[in-house]
Amino acid sequence: MFENLSERLSGVFDRLTKQGALSEEDVKTALREVRVALLEADVSLPVVRKFVKDVQAKATGQAVTKSVTPGQQVVKIVHDELVEVLKGEGDPGALKIDNPPAPILMVGLQGSGKTTTTAKIAKRLTEREGKKVLMASLDVNRPAAMEQLQILGNQVGVDTLPIVKGETPVQIAKRARTQASLGGYDVYFLDTAGRLHIDQELIQQAADVRDVVEPRETLLVVDGLTGQVAVEVAEEFDDKIGVSGVALTRMDGDGRGGAALSMRAVTGKPIRFVGTGEKVDALEEFDPERIAGRILG
Ligand code: GDP
């Protein structure tokens, strides 16, 4: 079992001489524990290396305040640095949806929680911001996925584009745009198809849709329990389609959410939402403080 990082560090510092400032040796010793904690939280190795190096430089020579132990001091420095790396600019939950109808493209691997997250965000916009929202599934190969969005739409009280067989994703996207304009919708979500692994054909399909509708936001949905894979997925989707924000799902699970740090550090993309369960209300705005605490265990 993972012990609390502060406790681990107190143990380490008990063996060190108490000085007025953190020496390079003190910090190095403490950061060995931090490194293990980050790796256990599934942060990718290159990100751990860079993070530890940055903290080393910041912490060395810092005066230890009387009220805290050197261990607590290092934990605070590490925590603050984590929050700094994790946080994006502005309000994570504020989507760019002025100038209606605003298209939002949802992308990600199959099983990441894309369809569920689409419905969750649509519900949030409807209930909290009073927006009129339309959702459309572009998954022409999986009728079950289209039906799933329809069922979720009924559940959350958000309209879905009627299903028409035999259309291409671009045709569906255009129909959604027309319906959104004519129906006075503020926002329309396009839930693209995904496969279990990165698939160039589907990525191209989403890129074609992007070119036609010019989405105001392209949200990548990633399973927060997949550490290194999450980073690869984010890099690939951002490279080929261009991503404006990330929704991390399954943050209700046992994982410690290291994927959040890896993705943010590698792609620079802001994390906007966190999925915390299967239910349609289980969505939170991303909170860097909370994730930092969780990563540190
Ligand atoms: P898609 O293939 O990417 O569209 O994935 P789905 O939206 O169909 O989700 C796949 C499964 O993951 C479903 O059983 C969802 O209920 C579940 N799921 C989605 N988001 C979360 C989440 O944040 N936490 C948990 N525990 N399950 C989730």
Side-chain angles (χ1 to χ4, degrees), residues 108-117 120 142 148 152 191 221 248-253 274-279 282:
L109 296 184
Q110 184 182 327
S112 60
K114 193 158 30 66
T115 303
T116 314
T117 306
K120 285 177 177 178
R142 289 195 311 139
Q148 186 197 354
L152 282 166
D191 181 15
V221 181
L248 269 188
T249 61
R250 299 216 172 74
M251 295 299 280
D252 48 313
V274 167
T276 55
E278 299 203 17
K279 299 234 165 68

Side-chain angles (χ1 to χ4, degrees), residues 39-290:
L39 288 171
E40 280 180 3
D42 214 6
V43 180
S44 72
L45 188 57
V47 173
V48 173
R49 285 205 182 111
K50 178 165 188 311
F51 183 85
V52 167
K53 207 165 140 232
D54 290 351
V55 174
Q56 168 91 44
K58 276 198 185 165
T60 303
Q62 270 206 17
V64 179
T65 343
K66 289 232 162 57
S67 54
V68 298
T69 65
Q72 286 166 339
Q73 178 99 357
V74 175
V75 171
K76 183 177 182 327
I77 296 166
V78 169
H79 177 269
D80 291 352
E81 183 66 14
L82 268 180
V83 171
E84 202 48 44
V85 178
L86 283 167
K87 81 166 188 246
E89 276 165 25
D91 177 359
L95 298 172
K96 285 197 209 82
I97 47 170
D98 46 339
N99 204 7
I104 300 185
L105 195 64
M106 302 294 292
V107 298
L109 296 184
Q110 184 182 327
S112 60
K114 193 158 30 66
T115 303
T116 314
T117 306
T118 303
K120 285 177 177 178
I121 301 176
K123 181 175 192 287
R124 188 184 161 95
L125 286 176
T126 308
E127 290 177 359
R128 294 202 187 189
E129 299 184 32
K131 299 292 179 195
K132 189 171 176 192
V133 183
L134 178 70
M135 305 189 289
S137 169
L138 308 186
D139 199 342
V140 293
N141 298 321
R142 289 195 311 139
M146 291 192 159
E147 284 157 24
Q148 186 197 354
L149 188 68
Q150 210 169 40
I151 292 165
L152 282 166
N154 288 337
Q155 207 179 320
V156 298
V158 172
D159 292 342
T160 47
L161 189 73
I163 298 172
V164 174
K165 289 207 176 97
E167 283 185 328
T168 64
V170 166
Q171 284 169 333
I172 302 173
K174 284 182 176 167
R175 189 157 56 86
R177 180 173 60 191
T178 306
Q179 170 132 350
S181 296
L182 295 178
Y185 288 88
D186 297 300
V187 185
Y188 63 103
F189 283 88
L190 299 173
D191 181 15
T192 63
R195 296 236 167 98
L196 292 173
H197 303 283
I198 295 170
D199 179 290
Q200 294 309 328
E201 196 190 323
L202 286 191
I203 287 192
Q204 188 54 48
Q205 207 176 69
D208 292 344
V209 171
R210 172 204 60 195
D211 293 345
V212 170
V213 301
E214 297 179 1
R216 210 67 52 76
E217 298 268 7
T218 299
L219 300 180
L220 172 69
V221 181
V222 184
D223 181 342
L225 297 180
T226 59
Q228 186 56 40
V229 173
V231 179
E232 284 161 22
V233 165
E235 280 187 301
E236 183 71 11
F237 275 85
D238 189 37
D239 187 38
K240 301 279 165 59
I241 303 173
V243 165
S244 64
V246 175
L248 269 188
T249 61
R250 299 216 172 74
M251 295 299 280
D252 48 313
D254 289 338
R256 300 232 317 280
L261 182 67
S262 304
M263 268 200 311
R264 180 81 188 122
V266 173
T267 67
K269 297 298 163 190
I271 301 165
R272 314 289 285 272
F273 296 104
V274 167
T276 55
E278 299 203 17
K279 299 234 165 68
V280 287
D281 281 319
L283 183 79
E284 292 171 7
E285 221 172 82
F286 177 64
D287 177 358
E289 292 274 349
R290 197 176 305 162

